[in-house]
Amino acid sequence: MPTILLPVSLPAFLVDPLRAAHIITDSASPDARGLVVPGGFTIHESLLNSLPNLEIISVFGVGYDGVPIRLCQQRGIRVTNTPDVLTEDVADIATALVLMTSRRLSEAERYARAGSWLKGAFPLAHALRGKTAGILGLGRIGKAIAHRLLAHGMKIAYHGRQPQAVEYRYCSTLIEMADVSDFLIIACPGGMGTKHLINADVLRALGSDGTLINIARGSVMDEAALIHALQAGIIRAAGLDVFENEPHVPAELCAYENLVLLPHVGSATHETRRGMAQLVVENIFAHFAGEPLLTAVC
Ligand code: 8YV
């Protein structure tokens, strides 16, 4: 039976079906022919070097920014991820963050719980209709977010490497998009290519009526610049499901009332996580049966 390395704990509905036909280990044994990691998990070169017999990495997530793809290609290691099955749930969380920040729902909930309503009505918030959502990365998830926000009466702009055959406004630069956006939504892949794209200049262009939403990767935003922008009132609010150094949420961020913070729950539903697990399992079984992979990255 092939040995599969699971360096971090993963749900039983993923591990149990694998265990039926594989030896499962949590230590970097040179026998390992498969490796399963969550999305965003960083696979250091030293780990790959300690696995001379590795044939396949199956990522339990759509984002494979933690996988050294070029090294895998050189060594002929196959890589799979879990696209599509999580698109709708992640787009729902982006929409929730847009609503929560615009209508100040976390603050309002804290207000009601604290009994503050007795002292007066909660302050007015901001409507979504007529506002512009600028989406950084109009891929599958970005498009699903756009679709939802249109139903809230919003206008859509987007920025990416090139314009697409869609009716939304294309912005050739991120600054241009930040400038026209009330909400800047990060929906692009993580990794070195997008590291700190959201910097002080972009936040300044988003402006004091603007809100930053991130459901992608913490690495895309410069957290220090974001903390400063919130401190100085450079932007109005932020809704974050992801952070630079998960599971650590910087204490400075927790201080802001106009921030909605979620613990990376974009894909965290029973239905979606089972769909993701099924893809991981089917890819591993396909590989060791010599069949085509379902969702190969390389
Ligand atoms: C998950 C993710 O939180 O798909 C991704 O890239 O970051 C999330 O869906 C993660 O992969 C769960 O393991």
Side-chain angles (χ1 to χ4, degrees):
M1 287 206 291
T3 298
I4 309 286
L5 168 62
L6 273 59
V8 294
S9 167
L10 290 169
F13 53 76
L14 185 158
V15 184
D16 290 347
L18 280 183
R19 210 185 287 283
H22 308 87
I23 298 164
I24 303 298
T25 177
D26 59 5
S27 58
S29 148
D31 296 338
R33 294 171 62 195
L35 170 62
V36 179
V37 293
F41 179 93
T42 303
I43 301 176
H44 295 288
E45 266 190 57
S46 54
L47 176 62
L48 279 195
N49 292 341
S50 68
L51 305 173
N53 295 306
L54 191 64
E55 295 167 30
I56 180 165
I57 298 173
S58 192
V59 179
F60 180 49
V62 67
Y64 50 88
D65 44 303
V67 182
I69 292 293
R70 198 167 313 157
L71 191 57
C72 290
Q73 284 167 333
Q74 281 163 6
R75 277 187 48 186
I77 299 169
R78 306 297 309 275
V79 178
T80 67
N81 66 344
T82 64
D84 299 320
V85 289
L86 46 63
T87 301
E88 307 298 327
D89 275 356
V90 177
D92 284 347
I93 287 294
T95 309
L97 286 171
V98 169
L99 279 163
M100 288 172 85
T101 48
S102 60
R103 301 299 298 271
R104 301 173 60 174
L105 296 181
S106 291
E107 278 179 82
E109 208 246 3
R110 287 193 289 271
Y111 194 86
R113 278 182 194 268
S116 307
W117 193 4
L118 295 168
K119 292 179 234 147
F122 185 73
L124 299 182
H126 296 277
L128 290 186
R129 64 182 175 284
K131 303 285 163 57
T132 298
I135 301 178
L136 171 58
L138 196 71
R140 284 174 284 232
I141 294 173
K143 287 192 175 100
I145 295 169
H147 184 70
R148 282 159 173 73
L149 296 183
L150 283 174
H152 290 269
M154 297 185 77
K155 293 178 246 167
I156 306 295
Y158 69 103
H159 171 70
R161 276 191 295 263
Q162 58 214 20
Q164 302 190 36
V166 290
E167 288 184 355
Y168 314 136
R169 171 178 178 164
Y170 177 67
C171 300
S172 57
T173 69
L174 185 48
I175 293 283
E176 179 197 335
M177 188 179 79
D179 211 30
V180 300
S181 296
D182 299 290
F183 292 82
L184 197 167
I185 304 174
I186 307 174
C188 62
M192 285 318 290
T194 57
K195 192 172 163 66
H196 287 188
L197 274 185
I198 304 296
N199 57 24
D201 294 341
V202 173
L203 293 169
R204 215 171 296 114
L206 183 57
S208 56
D209 290 335
T211 297
L212 179 71
I213 304 290
N214 192 359
I215 48 80
R217 283 288 182 264
S219 60
V220 184
M221 62 186 185
D222 179 343
E223 252 172 33
L226 174 63
I227 291 168
H228 172 71
L230 289 162
Q231 241 160 20
I234 290 168
I235 65 167
R236 176 191 286 157
L240 310 176
D241 186 41
V242 289
F243 300 88
E244 278 200 271
N245 184 25
E246 295 177 8
H248 300 280
V249 178
E252 295 99 309
L253 285 180
C254 299
Y256 295 102
E257 281 288 312
N258 51 345
L259 255 192
V260 178
L261 305 171
L262 299 179
H264 200 150
V265 292
S267 68
T269 65
H270 293 287
E271 296 83 352
T272 288
R273 286 285 165 86
R274 280 178 190 274
M276 292 162 64
Q278 194 179 335
L279 272 179
V280 168
V281 171
E282 287 180 1
N283 275 307
I284 294 278
F285 272 85
H287 174 77
F288 290 110
E291 289 164 11
L293 301 178
L294 284 83
T295 49
V297 171
C298 74

